[in-house]
Amino acid sequence: MGDEREQFDLIIVGAGPAGATAAIYGVRYGLKVAFFETVDPVSQLTLTPVIENFPGFGGNGFELLQKMKEQATKFGAIHKFENVEKITKNGEHFTIKTDLNTYDAKAVIIATGGRHREIGIPGEKEFVGKGVSYCATCDGNFFRGKKVAVIGGGNTAVEEAIYLKEIGCDVMLIHRRDELRADKAYQSEFFSRKIPVIWNSVPVKIEGNEVVERIVLYNKVENKEFSMDVSAVFIAIGITPATDIVSDLGVERDSRGYIKVNKKQETNVPGVFAAGDCCDNPLKQAITACGDGAVAANSAFEYIKMKFQKDNS
Ligand code: NAP
């Protein structure tokens, strides 16, 4: 009585591949589902310029995710652009507070993914938006024809370097070891483009006046510091899970902040499930995030059926 909160069976925090898939499966189980999209962190998938390892799909990450979200809303899931600020458990129900509203849910799936990791060197923070970027697809255009550096040796760094080369940047890759971490398929694409690599080198500082002008590096093998003139530094050294939202719920996380889940994507808190890059799963791919999302939705459905069946009958 008097409580005008919108009620859902299942609320999904996140609208990346894990969240969108959980929404598709949740509504198809007959649940009333809402899934929430935030700008920070944005889904890593939307920033992926070319998808070559999602079976049956060819295109960019934005298009793929758009199709997933449309599929979820077509079946009746409610998509909301609201920032989830707090989740609390009150008895059997969850209260989800966003920047705009407060909602009630019987179960929650956390699919918040991760945000870019920072190096933590002088100049990095100061030059964000003035040459330091964490997203080549967002900012690469500003640096066509200019000399730019990508930091990192994983799939993201290699993809970004390829993308920047394709759009006409004079790009080099800077990596702290003498071999790349990226999958072999990405490596062949990368090396075939003859993108120069500065090996065994760690960034020390980023310098400039109004905008980035150079990066100072330390070569670990030669034990010497040197600098390279660049107009932009694209940092792609991995992600950190965006899981602060679960701290008040008592959801267990590992030492790096990833949510601990079992094979059913259950967390230690009944009614709270997690899926995708925010979990302590071994492989962080769009396809595995989708799998996690489907499993999490199934587990949430079983949980709601078991816990609330008396209320529904
Ligand atoms: P990642 O695989 O964790 O690689 C991070 C890279 O940054 C590594 O090469 C690492 O060096 C380097 N690095 C880490 N900290 C550093 C520091 N402080 N200074 C300098 N270099 C540093 O991260 P990611 O490439 O962002 O990928 C994240 C996850 O998403 C991975 O599981 C990846 O497979 C997945 N992903 C998949 C695709 C795809 O399949 N299409 C695309 C993008 C990302 P070391 O190698 O020495 O550790």
Side-chain angles (χ1 to χ4, degrees), residues 53 153-156 159 175-177 181 186 237-238 284-285:
N53 54 5
N155 283 342
T156 305
E159 265 181 4
H175 184 38
R176 64 182 177 183
R177 289 189 294 129
R181 173 180 296 280
Y186 285 117
I237 61 162
K284 308 236 178 287
Q285 298 280 304

Side-chain angles (χ1 to χ4, degrees), residues 60-71:
N60 65 45
F62 183 84
E63 288 163 2
L64 176 58
L65 190 53
Q66 204 56 30
K67 282 174 191 274
M68 291 183 196
K69 289 189 282 189
E70 281 166 12
Q71 202 169 338

Side-chain angles (χ1 to χ4, degrees), residues 131-134 148-151 206 212 214-215 230-235:
V132 168
S133 169
Y134 300 86
V148 303
V150 175
I151 315 282
I206 297 164
V212 168
R214 79 195 68 82
I215 182 163
V230 289
S231 301
V233 178
F234 290 89
I235 299 170

